[in-house]
Amino acid sequence: METTLRGVGVSHGVAIGEVRHMGTAVLEPPAKQIPPEDAAREQARARKAVEDVAADLIARGNLAGGEAQAVLEAQAMMAQDPELTADVNRRIAVGSTAERAVYDALAAYRALLAGAGEYLAGRVADLDDVRNRIVARLLGVPMPGVPDSDEPYVLIARDLAPADTALLDPTLVLGFVTEEGGPTSHSAILARALGVPAVVALPGAGEIAEGTVIAVDGSTGEIFVEPSAEKKAELEAAAARRKAALSASTGPGATSDGHKVPLLANVGGPADVPAAVEAGAEGVGLFRTEFLFLDDSKTAPSEEKQVEAYRKVLEAFPEGRVVVRVLDAGADKPLDFLTPADEPNPALGVRGLRSLLDHPDVLRTQLTALAKALEGLPVYLEVMAPMVADRTDAKAFADACRAAGLRAKFGAMVEIPSAALRARSILQEVEFLSLGTNDLAQYTFAADRQVGAVSRLQDPWQPALLDLVALSAEAAKAEGKSCGVCGEAASDPLLACVLTGLGVTSLSMGAASIPYVRATLAKYTLAQCERAASAARASDTAEEARTAAQAVLSGE
């Protein structure tokens, strides 16, 4: 009998197939004692297992490239953390086996993360995956992960580790559903990059029996268990219509009456550029430069290495627009040479621009590298700072850009409510704004973007968040400057229309979402988008806002 469940749709498309469940986590190893003379051997076993797991994660990252590479390299650094290594060695020295010492040391670190504030608590799933991989290697059992199958299937898991999501084979994994996670979790972001339909934050998903046929609608978040032939036909027809609309929609982003809305790509490095070009991106709206710095958390990359990487991205968009975000370190992206190690709540501490202003040499090197990478290229470079709180922050960043001789527009990311509330003041120092809706939602609602239990508050349709977007866009218009969105909100085609109606001047998203947004925008006039935006803001909940906007655009 057909039943319908609803989670949070995070990656467009429809998938219909049999359920396969993620492999079970590694069992807790027995707590047996070893004689003192075996300690050195066990320490060597633990060290070798850690090195092998870190190498495997880095290799997976190299294969996946882009956003996934940065995430997996961060996981590899977790595995090789010197404090964890020291703790493992201490536990072995007093009688633990290698596998038990690893298990207990990582359990202790897990407890620290879980209690270190919401932002770091979101890294617990990544840490659990590191633990499982090391312990599995020591026990000589298969790695936990995606099931083996010769036939395509829909994957169900409690959560998906980045190492698994990054290398999903879209020819076999038709789509996936998780019980945990949120719309801006690592799994959701990587799913969109892969173009795999996905639904997250669906409680009870793990209770769907292996082999059950389900239909996953990654746009609406609906899951149809044992769908009828009529429902399958309906979903497949809708998917076919979407595909036809995507194929028919080409060229620059615009509403049906010609109002231009440049559609840009979010990229994590040179590896993401081909997909962006293929999708017809009009440039880059968010170039995350962290990937270079995560290669080695101990030291910053050289100026030469940075110049080479930046130039590869700039060369891909001749006479296009490339918006570079300077290093956004801290919170879930700690760097030994840059971020404090003992903050009680790193998400509310020294991160983003705050870290760079505390280490002006790192900022100066990055800005100088960007200036050199730009030489001789006909590209419109814009450089922005993350975590700008007020005009003082904006001025400090603009002054640093000018001191580095950078020929570019300087901008500020709006990720903190204070920046939206005082956007006009900030625009006295910089030339554009870019809304990072992921963090803006997190700080507006005190809701960690990685925690599925608060996914309701991470929904970019929340009217309070739309109010902050409107404030920023109105301030930019009053100052004759631009205001884009580079958060994941821009990847929702319906919400893209609302953002346009709010006055946002460009939209940046994962490359896979660009065709969907382009096709949807082309169906409506600017006036319709403005009416949809007004209806959404007049609502009280995210669900009501979406419904109201949809009603306006469908003419109901």
Side-chain angles (χ1 to χ4, degrees):
M1 180 178 175
E2 179 181 313
T3 57
T4 304
L5 307 173
R6 183 181 288 275
V8 179
V10 296
S11 185
H12 305 298
V14 171
I16 301 174
E18 291 188 2
V19 164
R20 296 286 182 274
H21 286 272
M22 178 70 85
T24 56
V26 176
L27 296 176
E28 180 178 346
K32 62 182 182 182
Q33 291 291 106
I34 59 168
E37 58 268 24
D38 288 349
R41 184 193 67 195
E42 291 296 289
Q43 288 170 345
R45 285 183 64 228
R47 185 166 56 250
K48 178 68 163 55
V50 166
E51 290 170 355
D52 288 347
V53 166
D56 178 62
L57 289 168
I58 290 171
R60 286 169 175 259
N62 290 336
L63 284 172
E67 181 106 35
Q69 185 170 7
V71 172
L72 294 179
E73 287 175 352
Q75 266 197 298
M77 289 194 300
M78 277 185 177
Q80 295 172 304
D81 185 282
E83 292 186 13
L84 281 175
T85 300
D87 192 13
V88 168
N89 286 337
R90 281 194 298 270
R91 292 172 187 274
I92 292 174
V94 295
S96 285
T97 61
E99 48 268 34
R100 186 69 207 192
V102 167
Y103 184 90
D104 289 340
L106 281 162
Y109 192 33
R110 186 188 198 280
L112 286 175
L113 277 186
E118 290 182 350
Y119 210 98
L120 276 182
R123 302 277 73 78
V124 165
D126 295 359
L127 185 67
D128 286 347
D129 183 59
V130 169
R131 176 202 64 203
N132 291 345
R133 290 174 185 278
I134 298 172
V135 173
R137 193 170 289 270
L138 286 165
L139 291 174
V141 301
M143 289 283 183
V146 178
D148 291 329
S149 176
D150 295 329
E151 297 296 326
Y153 59 92
V154 176
L155 179 65
I156 289 184
R158 182 170 183 80
D159 202 354
L160 277 173
D164 295 317
T165 315
L167 294 183
L168 287 179
D169 182 352
T171 64
L172 284 176
V173 181
L174 302 172
F176 69 74
V177 181
T178 65
E179 295 191 55
E180 298 292 332
T184 59
S185 65
H186 282 151
S187 293
I189 292 170
L190 295 178
R192 286 188 284 271
L194 288 166
V196 176
V199 171
V200 301
L202 180 69
E207 297 172 12
I208 302 174
E210 186 93 0
T212 303
V213 174
I214 66 171
V216 178
D217 190 329
S219 299
T220 66
E222 291 175 305
I223 306 294
F224 303 94
V225 181
E226 298 287 8
S228 64
E230 291 78 11
K231 176 58 71 175
K232 288 182 185 178
E234 176 188 329
L235 291 170
E236 288 167 348
R241 287 194 299 272
R242 287 177 193 163
K243 187 174 181 180
L246 295 182
S247 300
S249 178
T250 58
T255 59
S256 63
D257 56 342
H259 175 73
K260 293 182 179 179
V261 187
L263 302 181
L264 312 170
N266 295 343
V267 304
D272 289 343
V273 167
V277 172
E278 184 179 351
E282 297 167 61
V284 171
L286 173 61
F287 178 7
R288 302 179 178 96
T289 58
E290 291 78 54
F291 81 102
L292 273 171
F293 293 80
L294 290 172
D295 283 347
D296 181 358
S297 69
K298 307 298 182 187
T299 59
S302 67
E303 181 181 299
E304 293 73 20
K305 182 177 180 181
Q306 292 189 55
V307 170
E308 180 184 2
Y310 301 152
R311 194 168 178 89
K312 285 179 182 177
V313 175
L314 296 175
E315 286 174 338
F317 296 95
E319 300 187 14
R321 176 184 174 198
V322 175
V323 184
V324 176
R325 180 179 70 191
V326 295
L327 176 62
D328 185 15
D332 66 331
K333 293 171 284 189
L335 295 171
D336 292 348
F337 66 89
L338 195 68
T339 49
D342 56 353
E343 289 186 298
N345 191 340
L348 301 179
V350 183
R351 61 167 296 199
L353 179 62
R354 300 166 186 175
S355 294
L356 293 174
L357 294 178
D358 280 352
H359 297 80
D361 54 324
V362 175
L363 178 58
R364 187 184 312 113
T365 299
Q366 184 170 25
L367 295 174
T368 302
L370 283 165
K372 290 183 177 180
L374 181 62
E375 289 176 1
L377 295 180
V379 62
Y380 298 96
L381 177 64
E382 300 184 4
V383 182
M384 61 186 182
M387 297 296 290
V388 171
D390 55 18
R391 183 173 179 173
T392 300
D393 280 351
K395 184 178 187 304
F397 178 66
D399 288 346
C401 290
R402 282 188 283 268
L406 189 57
R407 294 183 299 103
K409 285 187 175 182
F410 316 140
M413 291 198 72
V414 177
E415 301 169 284
I416 304 173
S418 64
L421 293 168
R422 300 290 294 172
R424 198 158 182 181
S425 171
I426 287 171
L427 284 166
Q428 305 310 304
E429 305 294 343
V430 295
E431 298 171 84
F432 70 94
L433 301 176
S434 184
L435 288 141
T437 52
N438 305 347
D439 270 326
L440 185 57
Q442 174 172 249
Y443 291 120
T444 298
F445 296 103
D448 192 312
R449 54 193 280 191
Q450 302 295 333
V451 178
V454 292
S455 62
R456 177 182 72 83
L457 297 171
Q458 300 155 0
D459 193 323
W461 281 94
Q462 284 283 357
L465 186 65
L466 298 181
D467 287 343
L468 292 175
V469 173
L471 277 176
S472 303
E474 288 163 4
K477 183 177 181 181
E479 294 295 326
K481 296 179 179 180
S482 62
C483 177
V485 167
C486 63
E488 291 300 314
S491 65
D492 179 336
L494 182 62
L495 185 51
C497 294
V498 167
L499 294 172
T500 298
L502 292 174
V504 166
T505 55
S506 66
L507 300 166
S508 190
M509 64 210 76
S513 298
I514 290 175
Y516 290 92
V517 173
R518 182 193 293 119
T520 305
L521 266 179
K523 292 164 57 178
Y524 305 109
T525 65
L526 176 59
Q528 286 176 299
C529 292
E530 290 171 342
R531 289 196 295 273
S534 295
R537 288 184 68 190
S539 303
D540 291 321
T541 68
E543 187 173 349
E544 288 173 4
R546 173 184 278 276
T547 300
Q550 181 68 70
V552 169
L553 293 177
S554 62
E556 295 177 7

